[in-house]
Amino acid sequence: MNRKPTLAVVGATGAVGTVMLQILSQHADIWGEIRLVASPRSAGRKLAVRGEDLEVLALSEDVFDGVDIAMFDVPDEVSAQWAPIAASKGVVVVDNSAAFRMDPDVPLVVPEVNPHAARVRPRGIVANPNCTTLSMIVALGALHAEFGLRELIVSSYQAVSGAGQDGVDTLRRQLKLVAGTDLGTRPGDVRRAVGDDTGPFPEPVALNVVPWVGSVREDGWSSEEMKIHDESRKILGLPDLKVAVTCVRVPVVTTHSLTVHARFEDEVTVARAREILATAPGVVLFDDPAAGEFPTPADATGTDPTWVGRLRRALDDPTALELFVCGDNLRKGAALNTAQIAELVAGERNSS
Amino acid sequence: MNRKPTLAVVGATGAVGTVMLQILSQHADIWGEIRLVASPRSAGRKLAVRGEDLEVLALSEDVFDGVDIAMFDVPDEVSAQWAPIAASKGVVVVDNSAAFRMDPDVPLVVPEVNPHAARVRPRGIVANPNCTTLSMIVALGALHAEFGLRELIVSSYQAVSGAGQDGVDTLRRQLKLVAGTDLGTRPGDVRRAVGDDTGPFPEPVALNVVPWVGSVREDGWSSEEMKIHDESRKILGLPDLKVAVTCVRVPVVTTHSLTVHARFEDEVTVARAREILATAPGVVLFDDPAAGEFPTPADATGTDPTWVGRLRRALDDPTALELFVCGDNLRKGAALNTAQIAELVAGERNSS
């Protein structure tokens, strides 16, 4: 194929869509036409991409005419309906919803970890993992390739933007109520100050941490925890990997952080793990506590890589490593990985 | 002994000392004279305890004359110097510094877990554990008694008051700088807004999480992580317990939270674990996600017990439980446990 491929961005006006357009303007320009698509409510708006203003089109069957690849960032039910329609017209859909991630006929792809999987897509759909999985999996994929992963025990520190703009707006409203006060020391004082204004969260998130992300699943698990469990296994190709997760929301705007206890097949050394992480694509090793170096959301926000620090061998288990990872949940956690998959598929078309 | 024992509170004017005085005013009044002691700088101030104003005395050898029990909450080096002086005068010292916790001749006591240990104190000193250890150990002690603990993998979400009033003041200053802004979305914006005003923390703590608590130890570990490792083993009487810890500071004023992956000798059931936790002294089981019930710092602050929720059996390991615990780091984490130990020792003296 000599013609440059045509790309559709479905959900172009959302928080992740906005970052997608920034990335398309920053990355090497491999695309022919770019078509912006959103709900009828947003149709007609103009958005800048690659330095030109494009009018947003309303989602319909016709918008996929002549499209080669489409990046979707829309609610699960919208993807469930529209991705198969686009695929039936020959479009390769890269979907960032949860609708198809665990479908055995849909590959779940992280280009640094399992790029080969994107080539086999019986339904014409490639799924993008959940933002929390993506915030750690590049670093873990690199370590797995060397040491052979056996078990993951993970705790998250998740940013409010994982719940969309409503999550960000809610934290900002709550921060205005608590800043400049002496709240946080007496029983119930934060809850009284915030009242019922908890937005998409079940509890106040300012001056608080909330050990609940997602909806209720069996036996006390949250949907977010099950996603990390199931998606890690699928991406790494380890259907029996032991994965224990607790997801917690924290009052941070952008960037998900995770503590990881990773147990491998045999003894590991920090020296070798450092070599691997220092050269792994998509990873920044930032790890010298004596010099004040360890990653935080304040470092990772707005950047592409997974930041890794606090690397230690477990004190009582020579087969396990401890690490702390940070990843921008809107970039690598969503828009960037989706764009990388689209670029991977476009490259495969060019080389075929 | 028929006379009510005389109590000294050393460090009475600090953040923990203030809570100690509140607790002495709330608990059953078993004390005869109460003597308040602090640095010469604070001497002469008047503080209320048991409804009367007492003048604060400057720390000296003489203030321990006639004292039976002394509760110390002072810096490590002050305890290291003064606790042995008090003990040499026959005072039983209950010390909340890190100076003696790992001394084999000093018991490390949590009254709900190992009250018997307080009776054997060759140096006349009983140590109070670190606030982070205390925020989880009551719940874990109850589960260990039933199931036999083998391994702990723990991540903390630690409040800024763990770094004293300076920590609280620093978060409050930073919150004023970030509230009402759109900070937290662009590279470096939180760091630029906060500047060098990070107080006792190595990085900004508002709109951020900081994976570093304490000072640098060997092989990348922090002093706080080593405390949790070493103290958990000593309190539970399990010198070979596997303990993996990562400590993280979060923008919460009061109450430390922890995620815990606890592996036991044999298979466990959530039903039995719930029975144990529902009746364990010092524990509140608050665990019904479908009804929106799980503990947060907003619930636990200002209360005495360890709050436990998110109880699940590990998905891939029938011998392991996941839980989320919250404990007020100034109450059970410091002043309350110290007061409980002092009451335990006083009761032992009365019954002897």
Side-chain angles (χ1 to χ4, degrees):
Chain A
M1 188 175 74
N2 289 320
R3 155 182 90 74
K4 283 184 164 183
T6 296
L7 176 73
V9 180
V10 183
T13 56
V16 172
T18 303
V19 180
M20 282 179 176
L21 301 193
Q22 290 168 10
I23 288 171
L24 289 173
S25 304
Q26 292 161 350
H27 280 205
D29 185 12
I30 63 166
W31 305 105
E33 185 190 353
I34 292 181
R35 219 171 274 180
L36 307 187
V37 182
S39 65
R41 186 166 41 88
S42 298
R45 283 179 56 185
K46 294 214 168 180
L47 296 175
V49 59
R50 298 188 296 188
E52 63 179 319
D53 282 339
L54 296 183
E55 188 170 315
V56 176
L57 309 173
L59 181 57
S60 74
E61 281 198 42
D62 297 345
V63 297
F64 296 109
D65 288 342
V67 169
D68 297 291
I69 298 173
M71 307 196 297
F72 274 58
D73 187 86
V74 292
D76 293 355
E77 64 278 13
V78 179
S79 276
Q81 180 185 351
W82 286 93
I85 291 171
S88 73
K89 302 187 81 165
V91 179
V92 177
V93 174
V94 184
D95 181 47
N96 189 31
S97 82
F100 302 99
R101 287 179 190 147
M102 297 313 297
D103 185 325
D105 288 332
V106 173
L108 185 66
V109 175
V110 181
E112 295 88 343
V113 180
N114 62 342
H116 54 280
R119 288 188 173 264
V120 184
R121 41 182 190 258
R123 298 191 62 178
I125 302 170
V126 180
N128 193 59
N130 170 274
C131 54
T132 312
T133 309
L134 274 169
S135 297
M136 66 173 191
I137 203 74
V138 176
L140 296 178
L143 293 170
H144 168 57
E146 173 79 8
F147 296 126
L149 197 57
R150 282 283 177 86
E151 184 171 20
L152 286 176
I153 296 164
V154 171
S155 298
S156 76
Y157 301 69
Q158 293 186 227
V160 295
S161 58
Q165 192 59 42
D166 187 17
V168 176
D169 294 341
T170 298
L171 174 60
R172 288 183 175 150
R173 282 195 310 276
Q174 292 181 357
L175 284 180
K176 279 201 229 177
L177 295 172
V178 304
T181 71
D182 66 352
L183 292 167
T185 58
R186 287 172 299 276
D189 61 356
V190 169
R191 195 180 299 281
R192 276 191 300 277
V194 167
D196 293 333
D197 184 20
T198 60
F201 308 117
E203 297 292 334
V205 71
L207 297 183
N208 208 18
V209 299
V210 182
W212 189 262
V213 181
S215 51
V216 178
R217 290 288 177 273
E218 275 177 37
D219 298 326
W221 293 88
S222 74
S223 57
E224 185 84 353
E225 289 157 353
M226 293 308 299
K227 286 177 186 174
I228 297 171
H229 177 273
D230 297 345
E231 295 177 17
S232 296
R233 290 176 157 196
K234 184 168 177 177
I235 296 163
L236 296 170
L238 294 170
D240 299 319
L241 183 68
K242 293 165 99 172
V243 186
V245 196
T246 301
C247 288
V248 180
R249 189 78 67 183
V250 297
V252 165
V253 175
T254 317
T255 293
H256 291 346
S257 307
L258 299 104
T259 61
V260 179
H261 175 88
R263 197 166 57 76
F264 299 92
E265 284 165 21
D266 297 306
E267 198 166 315
V268 292
T269 68
V270 167
R272 183 72 189 121
R274 290 181 72 94
E275 285 175 3
I276 294 161
L277 293 169
T279 55
V283 172
V284 166
L285 181 65
F286 189 58
D287 187 25
D288 186 355
E293 291 187 358
F294 35 76
T296 73
D299 302 300
T301 296
T303 75
D304 286 349
T306 302
W307 293 58
V308 181
R310 299 301 325 280
L311 185 65
R312 293 149 289 156
R313 192 162 84 168
L315 289 163
D316 310 310
D317 182 351
T319 70
L321 292 171
E322 319 290 342
L323 46 160
F324 185 81
V325 299
C326 293
D328 185 317
N329 55 305
L330 301 179
R331 291 185 72 90
K332 184 62 181 177
L336 174 64
N337 200 69
T338 305
Q340 286 176 298
I341 297 171
E343 290 163 359
L344 190 69
V345 172
E348 159 202 327
R349 292 166 62 96
N350 285 331
S351 65
S352 66
Chain B
M1 189 173 75
N2 287 321
R3 158 181 88 75
K4 284 182 163 186
T6 296
L7 176 73
V9 180
V10 182
T13 57
V16 172
T18 303
V19 180
M20 281 179 177
L21 302 192
Q22 290 169 10
I23 289 171
L24 289 173
S25 304
Q26 292 161 349
H27 280 205
D29 185 12
I30 64 165
W31 305 106
E33 185 190 352
I34 292 181
R35 219 171 275 179
L36 307 187
V37 182
S39 65
R41 187 165 42 88
S42 297
R45 282 178 58 187
K46 294 215 168 180
L47 296 174
V49 59
R50 298 188 298 189
E52 63 178 320
D53 283 338
L54 296 184
E55 188 171 312
V56 176
L57 309 173
L59 180 57
S60 73
E61 281 199 42
D62 296 345
V63 297
F64 296 108
D65 288 341
V67 169
D68 297 291
I69 299 173
M71 307 196 298
F72 273 58
D73 188 85
V74 292
D76 293 355
E77 63 278 13
V78 178
S79 276
Q81 179 185 351
W82 285 93
I85 292 171
S88 73
K89 302 187 80 164
V91 179
V92 177
V93 174
V94 185
D95 181 46
N96 190 32
S97 82
F100 301 100
R101 287 179 189 146
M102 296 314 297
D103 185 325
D105 288 331
V106 173
L108 184 65
V109 175
V110 181
E112 295 88 343
V113 181
N114 62 342
H116 53 281
R119 287 189 173 261
V120 184
R121 40 181 191 260
R123 298 191 61 179
I125 302 170
V126 181
N128 193 60
N130 171 273
C131 54
T132 312
T133 310
L134 274 170
S135 297
M136 66 174 190
I137 203 74
V138 175
L140 296 178
L143 293 170
H144 168 57
E146 173 79 8
F147 295 127
L149 197 56
R150 281 283 177 87
E151 184 171 21
L152 285 176
I153 296 165
V154 171
S155 297
S156 76
Y157 301 69
Q158 294 186 225
V160 295
S161 58
Q165 192 60 39
D166 187 18
V168 176
D169 294 341
T170 298
L171 174 60
R172 287 181 176 154
R173 282 195 310 275
Q174 293 181 355
L175 284 180
K176 280 201 230 178
L177 296 172
V178 304
T181 71
D182 66 353
L183 292 167
T185 58
R186 287 174 300 277
D189 62 356
V190 169
R191 194 180 300 281
R192 276 192 299 278
V194 167
D196 293 333
D197 185 19
T198 60
F201 308 117
E203 298 292 333
V205 70
L207 297 183
N208 208 18
V209 299
V210 182
W212 189 263
V213 181
S215 52
V216 178
R217 290 289 178 270
E218 274 177 37
D219 298 327
W221 293 89
S222 73
S223 57
E224 185 85 352
E225 288 158 353
M226 293 307 300
K227 286 176 186 175
I228 297 171
H229 177 273
D230 298 344
E231 295 177 17
S232 296
R233 289 176 158 197
K234 183 167 177 176
I235 296 162
L236 296 170
L238 293 170
D240 299 319
L241 182 68
K242 294 165 98 173
V243 186
V245 197
T246 300
C247 288
V248 181
R249 189 78 66 184
V250 296
V252 165
V253 176
T254 318
T255 293
H256 291 346
S257 306
L258 299 106
T259 60
V260 179
H261 176 87
R263 197 165 56 77
F264 299 92
E265 284 165 20
D266 296 305
E267 198 166 315
V268 292
T269 68
V270 166
R272 183 69 190 124
R274 290 182 70 94
E275 285 175 2
I276 293 160
L277 293 169
T279 55
V283 173
V284 166
L285 181 65
F286 189 59
D287 187 26
D288 185 355
E293 291 187 357
F294 34 77
T296 74
D299 301 301
T301 296
T303 74
D304 286 348
T306 302
W307 292 58
V308 181
R310 299 301 324 279
L311 185 65
R312 294 149 288 156
R313 193 162 83 167
L315 289 163
D316 311 310
D317 182 351
T319 70
L321 292 171
E322 319 290 341
L323 47 160
F324 186 81
V325 299
C326 291
D328 185 318
N329 54 305
L330 301 178
R331 291 185 72 88
K332 183 62 181 176
L336 175 63
N337 200 69
T338 305
Q340 286 176 297
I341 297 171
E343 290 164 359
L344 190 68
V345 172
E348 162 202 325
R349 292 167 62 95
N350 285 330
S351 65
S352 65

